[in-house]
Amino acid sequence: MTTDSLSLTLAALADPTRRAILARLALGEASVTQLAEPFAMSFPAVSKHLKVLERAGLVACGRDAQFRPRRLQPEPLREIDEWLESYRALWDARFDRLETYLQALQAGEPGGGRN
């Protein structure tokens, strides 16, 4: 079954541990050991989370001799931002109408200024 990249990204972000890992990687590259430090879980469990993030394209694995640092790949987040933009416009329009309605109510217009 093929899953689109937006679905993979949203599924990866659904877990708070994975979001915490991304927040840490936003500060710079880190090893699996460094990423596992704040969590009460095994290295294999952290590795599973990293695999989900890598499959979604949010994390990349580098190579420096024996050291394999992970780094944030923000491109999939841009796709989410673009997808959300249409909803942002919808909510902005709704809030603008609500603001107009509330201003009309405060001005004492009957029916809140609606005809």
Side-chain angles (χ1 to χ4, degrees), residues 37-98:
E37 284 174 2
F39 305 108
M41 64 177 66
S42 66
F43 284 112
V46 172
S47 291
K48 285 182 182 182
H49 283 294
L50 286 169
K51 292 289 182 203
V52 171
L53 292 168
E54 289 171 6
R55 192 170 40 251
L58 290 162
V59 170
C61 180
R63 186 168 189 160
D64 184 13
Q66 297 298 321
F67 182 60
R68 286 190 164 81
R70 299 317 200 272
R71 66 182 170 282
L72 177 66
Q73 297 290 105
E75 291 79 14
L77 298 174
R78 189 173 305 118
E79 183 180 358
I80 289 174
D81 185 54
E82 290 169 2
W83 178 73
L84 287 172
E85 186 58 37
S86 62
Y87 293 98
R88 233 180 253 118
L90 171 76
W91 281 106
D92 285 345
R94 288 183 179 185
F95 285 132
D96 289 345
R97 287 193 311 268
L98 177 61

Side-chain angles (χ1 to χ4, degrees), residues 9-22:
T9 303
L10 290 171
L13 294 174
D15 185 274
T17 300
R18 291 191 287 266
R19 291 192 304 270
I21 290 170
L22 290 178

